[in-house]
Amino acid sequence: MKLFEKYIVKNYLKNFFVIFIALDLFYVGVDLLTNYNNIPDSANLQILYALFQGMNAVNYVLPLSIVFGMVVTYFTMIKSNELICMYASSISKKALVRPFFITSLGLTLLYIGLNCTEFAYAYEYSSNLKKYSRISTNSEDLFLKHNNQYIYFKKLDPLKQIAYDVTIFEVENVDLTKVIRASVASFVQNHWILEHVSIIHKPHITSLEDKGFSIEHIEKLQTMENFKPKIMDNVYQSEYTLSVSDGIDALRFFEDQGVNTSKIKATLFYQLFFPFFAPFLIVILYYKAPVMGRYFNMAVIASSFAFITLVVWSGLFLLSRLAANGVIFAEIAILLPIVVLFLTALRFYSKH
């Protein structure tokens, strides 16, 4: 890495972290003041709630901090005449924009990687702490379809991956063929293990001599492959989101079941593509920014850049919510604007 690139990256990261921490703490502070009467009285749970809300705030403040960090760094370099000195040293615009873009791209990929983990469930955990004073909450009375089975869970604990009072109805065409009941079921190695199982067999009767229904009792039964508890719980609790890995599994699973997957697809597109607006917007703003401050009002231009960033972010966020509610296809609401930003940034980069 060249000396000027190290200098730009160092200053950019410093400004980014200052802005990011400030916005994150502001978000958490406002939330604590707003919901102080609703959060648990325990100091430990209050700290956990603030931590989860801080993690949830990353979804909103990280993309903004990436762009704001570049704006602050760029205009600081203009004010100190460092930028014009770099140009005078025969450093091109393309060479100067690359450290900004690569650093912001790395931060964006890091954020997407976090969304592949339990980090994506921070909002769910904070909501559970506020409502139930515990991280995990049980879902009750779930009725779902899996291939030729209709499954009823009296109670599901997605964190422990345990279900209670499970009933499975197996059908063939429109005929009920089997009813499976179990007191407890555990999700182990992509399968549900049912314990203390009773199976009622209902054969197809064609004459009086045919054998009627029979009851079978077994200790354990393995069934329902890849029917993950977190997928079931979060599809049932529609206000929550899914991690990238669970979202991909859910998309594959429910597409095979013929279930509408527009919300799941919108969630995945939001987590995978929405964050890329920040690196692409950085390139666009960079090429529209002035080279020196002698003939321009820097405060007005910097404010207009911040305003443009907020407008783009809020517009994309609104489109993502419309896609999540099924009003607009996720490909049009989320993917298309990101592709347009990418092509615009590529045009500016190639043109100059």
Side-chain angles (χ1 to χ4, degrees), residues 269 298 338:
F269 277 37
M298 291 294 100
I338 299 300

Side-chain angles (χ1 to χ4, degrees), residues 232-245:
M232 299 156 56
D233 179 61
N234 280 272
V235 172
Y236 174 74
Q237 302 284 352
S238 59
E239 70 271 21
Y240 298 140
T241 186
L242 287 164
S243 67
V244 173
S245 55

Side-chain angles (χ1 to χ4, degrees), residues 301-333:
I301 296 176
S303 300
S304 64
F305 278 14
F307 177 74
I308 291 170
T309 303
L310 290 172
V311 168
V312 173
W313 175 83
S314 59
L316 291 174
F317 185 80
L318 175 62
L319 289 172
S320 70
R321 295 303 91 193
L322 292 174
N325 293 324
V327 178
I328 308 176
F329 290 115
E331 293 85 351
I332 297 175

Side-chain angles (χ1 to χ4, degrees), residues 20 54 100 103 106 161 183 197 226 228 232 254 314 324 332 334 348:
F20 172 73
F100 288 113
T103 306
Q161 299 189 333
S183 57
V197 184
N226 293 325
K228 294 185 177 181
M232 299 156 56
F254 286 109
S314 59
I332 297 175
I334 302 174
F348 276 103

